[in-house]
């Protein structure tokens, strides 16, 4: 009996010794940490061309970036793309900041920016007469005025003072803003300009209709815009920026009206300048 007990105690002691030695061995082991291999840093690059010179609003962009896993194009007009070689069509002439941003798998980024000047080649600005880019004389009025009146610092008269550093601001905008010119004599108008205000982009007009009338009662829609032509930024090149719009018209109207139906969402409407213009001479 004593012999069996001694044997059991001996076996137990041996097992305990093995466990202790095993634990000590594991605690003393050196764990090898394999460092993460650093990916090559990304680069961002591209070229651009106009595939068809007659389609001056259309551009083909070709990327030549390297070492990236994802990319994002920003065309300067609220449009984006994730294609490697996108084709983009602008809605209006103007200056746009095109940005390509690339990113690798470890979060490193690279970017390239280009200022793009989109110009209508059919317009010879050197021979445009004075009336082409200036308001034709007449009586100007609005249906919703600035709180402090037409002659105030941001009253409606600032919309036609030929100064892009001033603006017309109307609080409580509800999508019914109408700005009207009653000309001294009927004129055939074929173009107009709008200049954005100096601050908050959500106040910019987004959806408007230019209308013409012979009697100031019955109006005909002449030109409609449903996408805001200015970049959605509160500072930079899109502020106090003039956009020129052309439309087909062969009728001499006495009244021309700008009907602002919506902006980018603010309850405040702003616009620095509005001109109605004769066709190019």
């Amino acid at each position: 009996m004593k012999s069996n007990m001694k044997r059991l105690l001996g076996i137990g002691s041996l097992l305990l010794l093995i466990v202790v030695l095993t634990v000590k061995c594991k605690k003393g082991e050196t764990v090898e940490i394999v460092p993460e291999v650093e990916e090559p840093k990304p680069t961002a690059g591209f070229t651009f061309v106009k595939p068809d010179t007659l389609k001056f609003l259309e551009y083909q962009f070709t990327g030549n970036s390297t070492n990236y896993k994802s990319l994002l194009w920003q065309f300067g007009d609220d449009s984006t793309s994730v294609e490697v070689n996108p084709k983009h069509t602008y809605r209006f002439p103007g200056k746009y900041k095109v940005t390509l941003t690339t990113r690798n798998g470890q979060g490193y980024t690279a970017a390239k920016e280009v200022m793009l000047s989109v110009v209508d080649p059919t317009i010879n600005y050197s021979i445009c007469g004075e009336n082409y880019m200036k308001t034709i004389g007449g009586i100007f009025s609005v249906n919703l005025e600035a709180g402090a009146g037409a002659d105030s610092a941001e009253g409606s008269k600032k919309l036609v003072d030929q100064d892009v550093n001033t603006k017309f601001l109307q609080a409580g905008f509800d999508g019914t803003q109408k700005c009207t010119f009653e000309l001294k004599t009927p004129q055939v108008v074929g173009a107009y300009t709008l200049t954005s205000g100096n601050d908050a982009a959500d106040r910019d007009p987004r959806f408007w209709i230019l209308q013409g009338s012979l009697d100031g009662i019955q109006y005909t829609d002449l030109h409609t815009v449903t996408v805001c032509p200015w970049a959605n930024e509160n500072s930079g090149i899109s502020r106090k920026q003039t956009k020129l719009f052309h439309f087909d018209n062969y009728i001499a109207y006495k009244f021309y009206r700008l009907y602002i139906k919506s902006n980018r969402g603010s309850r405040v409407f702003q616009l620095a300048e509005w001109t109605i213009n004769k066709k190019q001479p």
Side-chain angles (χ1 to χ4, degrees), residues 40-62:
K41 298 296 189 299
T43 66
F46 62 90
T47 59
F48 58 89
V49 296
K50 286 186 284 188
D52 187 338
T53 55
L54 297 179
K55 298 179 180 179
F56 69 95
L57 295 171
E58 184 178 278
Y59 281 77
Q60 175 65 60
F61 296 90
T62 301

Side-chain angles (χ1 to χ4, degrees), residues 191-230:
Y192 65 101
T193 68
L194 296 180
T195 304
S196 58
N198 64 324
D199 55 19
D202 61 353
R203 301 173 178 179
D204 292 341
R206 182 187 65 83
F207 175 16
W208 69 83
I209 305 172
L210 184 77
Q211 301 172 317
S213 175
L214 298 172
D215 57 8
I217 300 173
Q218 298 292 328
Y219 279 86
T220 300
D221 292 352
L222 302 176
H223 187 251
T224 301
V225 173
T226 59
V227 176
C228 187
W230 298 283

